[in-house]
Amino acid sequence: MVSSIGIMDSAYFVGRNEILNWINNRLHLNLSRVEEAAPGAVQCQLMDMTYPGIVPMHKVNFDAKTEYDMIQNYKILQEVFSKLKIEKHVEVSRLIKGRPLDNLEFLQWLKHYCDSVNGGHMNENYNPVERRGKGGKDRNLKCSLRSSKTNTMNNTGSGNTVSSNRTSGAKQFKSSGAVGRPNSSAEIQALSKEITELKLANDVLEKERAFYFGKLRDIEILCQVPEVEDAPVSVAIKKILYADDAEESALDAAQGYLDQIMKAEAEIED
C-alpha cells in the first residue's frame, strides 16, 4: 500500500465534484466546496471510516473555527498517520487557511489512500452520523445553518410583535437607504467587474496548471520508457517528480544522486 504518490499520479486528476460526492456519500454530509473540509474534522472521520475505531472521535472538533482548534484536529490526524506508519507530510498551515487548491490536493491524496485500503467500496457497517456524535464539539457540520433557519421559522410564527418590528424596520431601511442607492449601485457594478476579472484570472490559472501538468506528464512517460528508465538522468528526474512535497531538498537529492553516479563512473575509468 503506497502512502506517498507522485504529483503526476492519476489521483491528482480527480475533480472537485467527484471528491465532494465521495465525501458526502461516505459521511452523509452536504459539503459544496472542498475548502469546507479545511478544519480537518472531515479528514479525521474519513480515516475513522477506513480504519473503524482508530480515531478518538471524542477529541475531534467538528465545529472548529479558530486556527488553534483546526490545528488540534490535524494533530489527531497526524497521530493516526503515525500509528499506521503512513509517511505523509501534512501542510497544516496551508490547509487551515482554506485555500481551495491545497485542500483539493490533500483530499485527492486521501481518497487515493482510502480507496487503496478498501478497494473503493463503502463500509456498510460504518455509521458516520453516530460516530460524529462522539465528536468533542459536534454540530454535525452546518447544523448552525439549520438552527438559524429554525430560529427564523420560529420568529416568523411568534406573533404580531415580530411582524410589526419587521415592517417598521423595512420602512426605516427604505427611508435611510434612499440616499445611498447611487453609491450602492456603483459598488455593485464595481464588485461585479471584480468578480468577472477574478473568474477570468482563475480560468487562466487553471489552463496554465493543466498545461504544466501535461508537460510533467510527458516527461514522466518519457522517463518510463524501458530503454532509458534506469538511466541516471531519468532516475534523478523521477526523484523530483515523485517527491512528497515541493522542497528544494528534492532537487538537492537528485543532484546528489547524479554526482554519486558521475563520481563512481570516473573512478571506474581511472
Side-chain angles (χ1 to χ4, degrees), residues 108-269:
Q108 286 171 330
W109 173 87
L110 191 58
K111 182 181 186 301
H112 170 83
Y113 179 81
C114 294
D115 286 349
S116 71
V117 174
N118 54 35
H121 300 296
M122 188 183 298
N123 185 350
E124 299 294 343
N125 297 321
Y126 184 79
N127 188 330
V129 178
E130 181 181 335
R131 288 294 290 165
R132 275 200 296 280
K134 299 181 184 296
K137 292 182 180 178
D138 175 37
R139 294 186 187 174
N140 229 3
L141 292 175
K142 298 193 173 181
C143 85
S144 56
L145 292 177
R146 296 195 201 101
S147 63
S148 65
K149 289 179 181 179
T150 304
N151 291 337
T152 303
M153 292 174 66
N154 290 339
N155 289 338
T156 303
S158 61
N160 295 329
T161 304
V162 176
S163 299
S164 61
N165 287 340
R166 286 182 179 173
T167 304
S168 61
K171 289 179 180 178
Q172 186 176 5
F173 173 77
K174 287 180 180 178
S175 61
S176 61
V179 178
R181 275 177 191 164
N183 292 335
S184 297
S185 177
E187 289 176 2
I188 290 172
Q189 289 180 356
L191 289 172
S192 297
K193 182 180 178 182
E194 185 177 352
I195 290 172
T196 302
E197 291 174 351
L198 288 172
K199 285 182 177 179
L200 291 173
N202 184 65
D203 289 342
V204 171
L205 289 173
E206 290 286 349
K207 289 178 181 178
E208 187 175 352
R209 181 173 181 268
F211 173 79
Y212 286 112
F213 262 101
K215 293 292 184 184
L216 289 170
R217 178 58 179 156
D218 290 342
I219 293 171
E220 183 183 41
I221 291 173
L222 185 62
C223 290
Q224 291 174 342
V225 174
E227 290 80 4
V228 299
E229 65 176 343
D230 294 325
V233 173
S234 296
V235 174
I237 290 173
K238 284 186 283 189
K239 282 181 179 294
I240 297 174
L241 286 177
Y242 300 150
D244 287 345
D245 45 48
E247 294 183 359
E248 293 182 4
S249 58
L251 178 58
D252 293 339
Q255 186 63 54
Y257 171 78
L258 286 176
D259 290 343
Q260 288 179 357
I261 295 296
M262 292 173 66
K263 185 177 178 180
E265 290 178 350
E267 290 176 353
I268 292 173
E269 290 177 359

Side-chain angles (χ1 to χ4, degrees), residues 16 33-39 43 67 70 74 91-108 202 206 209:
R16 298 168 191 259
R33 297 176 299 171
V34 291
E35 53 267 37
E36 289 175 31
Q43 291 86 334
E67 289 191 0
M70 295 178 189
Y74 282 105
E91 292 283 357
V92 178
S93 59
R94 293 185 181 182
L95 295 173
I96 62 177
K97 297 295 183 185
R99 296 173 180 174
L101 186 56
D102 290 323
N103 279 274
L104 175 62
E105 288 182 351
F106 184 58
L107 289 170
Q108 286 171 330
N202 184 65
E206 290 286 349
R209 181 173 181 268

